[in-house]
Amino acid sequence: MKPRFSKTLQGSILVSQLLGMPSLAIAEDYYRPTRAYRAEPHYEPPRYVRNLSKTQFKEFRDITWLNVGLDFRARYEYRENDFRPWTDTSSGTAVRRYRPDPDNIWLLRTRAYLGIQDILDPFRFAVEYEDARSYNSLYERDNGTTNEFELIQGYAELYFRNALGEDRPLSIRAGRMSLELLDRRLIGNNQFRNTTNNFEGFRVSFGKRQNDWDLDTFALQPVERLKYEFDRPDEKTWIYGGVLSIRRWSDFITVQPYFLGRKQNGDLAAGLTDRDIYAPGLRVYGFFGKTGFDFDADINKQFGRSGQIRTVQGSRVQANLQHDALAYSLELGYTFDHAWKPRVSAYYGYGTGDRGQTDGRNERFDIFYGFNQPWSRSDYFSWDNIHAPKARLQFSPFRDVRVETGYNAYWLQSETDAWNRANLRDPTGRSGSFLGHEFDIRFVHKLNPYMDWSLSYARFTPGDFTKDVGKRMGAFTSEPSNFFYFEVNLNAFGDGNPKL
């Protein structure tokens, strides 16, 4: 296979040759990002972080060992006929309620990052702070919108650059950290949300994504987000596993066999059940040569044990069920050879739901800590109990301008199981399976190296199941929902491409 270099590395070699300088040994770069819609993971450091040598401050050009970041995001959201319930704790007891009135909410998020690399090798460390606040909502704040004065990352790392071969590192991390894997549908930061998923524990990486192969392993406890107190790890839950990425077999295809597991110790008083779930899977993505076609496919099979709380003779008990679930997704896209770079894509996602509560089995797919925006701009759906076909169009009519639009439709995989995100269920299965369909459009503009802004609108039209069950089970509306937002992002250190 021919060596693959990034444009940056190619440029470095060319400059060295023109200046008569000896060329540095440059490792091959095998990494290829996916073109699938919102499926490219956020790697460390976070995307808003810049190496100090690549900022607008010329006096720091030689400081390559320090990574810094400071960004601010403000978003105004308008939601009408929102199908997502909220948890009302004002009475001292958590009660799930629906939002009967349109909501106008302001979401503000500030993040700051500091990371040390190279200069103290093999020792490295990073810390990241976040302050997430919400204002003007009619409804009680929750931990998806509010998490004030919080340390979302703080880890130490041992980084051995050539431990496994030339420029093939071994990395060992311990502490609080963020994590995104695969296509983000099972493990993701959820950066669209005002608050962030994070974890505490250990992560060991063999190689890096630019190598022809790498292996990422971890054992982590999810962090519980507390709105006004310091977050703490969920000591009852561990997630663990590994992702092997193989790139050397083809210049166009990346193969990722993986395994995820969840171990949860139940607590009946807190409404938690025992879970011991094993989830092997396979993701493959890439391109069909130079034809313009691309694909991204993922399949995951889950088995193990999953608890269910039942009431027997007035007492709450736990039944241990056999866990047996399946999910897969497939996206096929085509990018036209045109100045606007238009890409059209077709997608289908499938996740099993539970068929019944008396068969001793749980078939509902466990979504772990996935990112839901690829499923629905309104944030109504996730990778469980779902049939979800989708068609999308993306293009850039001007430099630094991107337009995205799509149409999605949704059906229950099991008519007797719930639409979980809306808390609606018909145990009899007589209300059918069609949940509804959604149209969305988004406009993104990078105004300058320090600022970008975006507009988005989504309209969800409920189907037969939603209208029927919503009326009988307490949802306040069966009308279409509307979701609009306007967002501004500011980055104090620019886009990492300063004018020299």
Side-chain angles (χ1 to χ4, degrees):
M1 186 175 72
K2 294 181 179 179
R4 298 186 286 187
F5 305 104
S6 68
K7 292 182 179 178
T8 302
L9 297 179
Q10 291 173 335
S12 299
I13 296 172
L14 179 59
V15 170
S16 299
Q17 293 173 342
L18 291 175
L19 296 179
M21 299 168 60
S23 298
L24 299 175
I26 303 296
E28 299 177 14
D29 186 354
Y30 290 85
Y31 183 71
R32 295 290 182 269
T34 182
R35 290 183 184 173
Y37 179 68
R38 308 199 77 176
E40 177 67 10
H42 291 233
Y43 292 100
E44 287 296 312
R47 289 183 179 178
Y48 72 93
V49 172
R50 307 290 176 248
N51 189 272
L52 191 57
S53 67
K54 296 180 180 179
T55 66
Q56 72 273 30
F57 303 107
K58 296 181 181 180
E59 56 270 35
F60 298 136
R61 287 286 183 263
D62 296 329
I63 302 181
T64 59
W65 50 267
L66 183 62
N67 292 325
V68 293
L70 178 61
D71 86 336
F72 172 76
R73 185 179 77 180
R75 186 165 74 229
Y76 163 75
E77 291 186 357
Y78 172 82
R79 288 186 180 268
E80 179 185 43
N81 296 329
D82 193 356
F83 282 90
R84 302 172 308 159
W86 60 288
T87 302
D88 183 1
T89 60
S90 58
S91 64
T93 303
V95 180
R96 298 277 277 177
R97 303 185 187 279
Y98 288 89
R99 299 171 170 89
D101 298 307
D103 201 22
N104 295 268
I105 184 171
W106 283 94
L107 301 172
L108 306 181
R109 185 181 72 185
T110 303
R111 295 181 298 180
Y113 181 97
L114 181 70
I116 301 295
Q117 63 182 22
D118 297 333
I119 194 170
L120 300 176
D121 275 1
F123 178 74
R124 299 181 173 190
F125 70 87
V127 292
E128 185 179 12
Y129 155 92
E130 178 179 88
D131 183 64
R133 301 178 182 234
S134 63
Y135 299 94
N136 201 52
S137 177
L138 295 176
Y139 306 102
E140 184 177 350
R141 293 184 175 98
D142 60 34
N143 64 10
T145 63
T146 305
N147 195 16
E148 297 184 358
F149 298 114
E150 190 56 55
L151 183 71
I152 57 173
Q153 290 205 90
Y155 63 82
E157 178 180 22
L158 293 176
Y159 188 88
F160 303 96
R161 186 183 301 276
N162 299 309
L164 305 176
E166 182 65 27
D167 200 34
R168 191 184 297 274
L170 170 65
S171 167
I172 304 172
R173 288 184 182 180
R176 181 172 292 190
M177 65 195 78
S178 61
L179 179 66
E180 291 210 319
L181 297 174
L182 302 158
D183 53 11
R184 307 200 288 175
R185 289 186 169 89
L186 289 172
I187 304 290
N189 292 341
N190 211 337
Q191 293 287 353
F192 178 79
R193 195 181 60 207
N194 209 39
T195 60
T196 304
N197 289 343
N198 54 341
F199 307 88
E200 282 190 12
F202 306 93
R203 183 180 182 184
V204 181
S205 301
F206 303 85
K208 59 182 182 180
R209 71 178 188 273
Q210 290 83 5
N211 296 150
D212 56 353
W213 66 268
D214 72 274
L215 174 63
D216 201 351
T217 65
F218 57 91
L220 300 165
Q221 292 181 320
V223 172
E224 296 182 84
R225 296 185 303 276
L226 304 176
K227 292 179 290 186
Y228 310 114
E229 303 172 34
F230 191 74
D231 293 352
R232 59 173 178 253
D234 176 4
E235 296 181 350
K236 295 181 174 62
T237 303
W238 282 91
I239 61 168
Y240 55 91
V243 178
L244 175 63
S245 299
I246 304 170
R247 306 180 183 91
R248 69 175 306 157
W249 290 342
S250 169
D251 189 46
F252 302 106
I253 296 176
T254 298
V255 180
Q256 293 181 305
Y258 64 91
F259 175 84
L260 301 178
R262 181 200 292 271
K263 176 69 174 179
Q264 177 175 292
N265 295 318
D267 183 348
L268 286 178
L272 296 177
T273 62
D274 291 331
R275 280 195 283 184
D276 203 353
I277 295 175
Y278 311 100
L282 176 66
R283 181 192 180 209
V284 182
Y285 74 89
F287 313 92
F288 292 104
K290 298 180 180 181
T291 64
F293 285 98
D294 64 88
F295 71 97
D296 195 316
D298 192 351
I299 185 169
N300 186 272
K301 173 64 179 178
Q302 297 181 350
F303 58 94
R305 292 288 176 182
S306 183
Q308 184 182 88
I309 296 177
R310 296 175 179 175
T311 300
V312 178
Q313 296 180 346
S315 300
R316 302 178 78 194
V317 298
Q318 178 178 238
N320 289 316
L321 309 180
Q322 180 181 349
H323 187 81
D324 183 12
L326 174 70
Y328 55 83
S329 70
L330 174 63
E331 181 167 334
L332 178 65
Y334 179 78
T335 303
F336 293 86
D337 185 11
H338 186 275
W340 288 16
K341 300 178 182 178
R343 178 180 181 269
V344 295
S345 61
Y347 174 84
Y348 178 71
Y350 171 90
T352 55
D354 193 31
R355 297 192 186 98
Q357 295 182 303
T358 60
D359 59 0
R361 300 164 66 90
N362 175 39
E363 294 94 355
R364 173 178 282 275
F365 189 74
D366 188 327
I367 64 171
F368 283 76
Y369 299 90
F371 180 45
N372 295 328
Q373 277 290 299
W375 296 98
S376 164
R377 177 68 67 190
S378 299
D379 202 28
Y380 286 169
F381 300 96
S382 52
W383 206 4
D384 54 342
N385 195 25
I386 195 78
H387 292 280
K390 174 174 62 178
R392 298 204 68 86
L393 170 65
Q394 303 160 249
F395 59 95
S396 297
F398 305 101
R399 182 181 178 181
D400 297 328
V401 173
R402 187 172 73 255
V403 180
E404 306 168 351
T405 185
Y407 173 80
N408 313 260
Y410 309 96
W411 285 264
L412 293 173
Q413 190 274 332
S414 171
E415 296 178 356
T416 57
D417 200 3
W419 173 14
N420 201 40
R421 302 280 295 170
N423 199 35
L424 297 177
R425 180 175 189 168
D426 180 0
T428 70
R430 296 173 183 172
S431 297
S433 62
F434 184 48
L435 299 172
H437 53 93
E438 181 180 279
F439 164 80
D440 68 80
I441 186 168
R442 184 168 73 142
F443 174 92
V444 183
H445 179 210
K446 178 182 175 184
L447 186 64
N448 57 50
Y450 305 96
M451 175 181 175
D452 64 73
W453 61 278
S454 60
L455 286 169
S456 180
Y457 170 73
R459 181 179 178 85
F460 174 77
T461 302
D464 294 340
F465 172 91
T466 306
K467 293 178 181 179
D468 185 38
V469 179
K471 291 177 181 178
R472 291 189 289 109
M473 302 298 292
F476 70 93
T477 183
S478 59
E479 297 299 316
S481 70
N482 296 293
F483 172 43
F484 166 83
Y485 75 78
F486 172 68
E487 177 179 289
V488 176
N489 290 273
L490 303 175
N491 191 321
F493 295 101
D495 61 2
N497 298 299
K499 295 181 180 179
L500 301 177

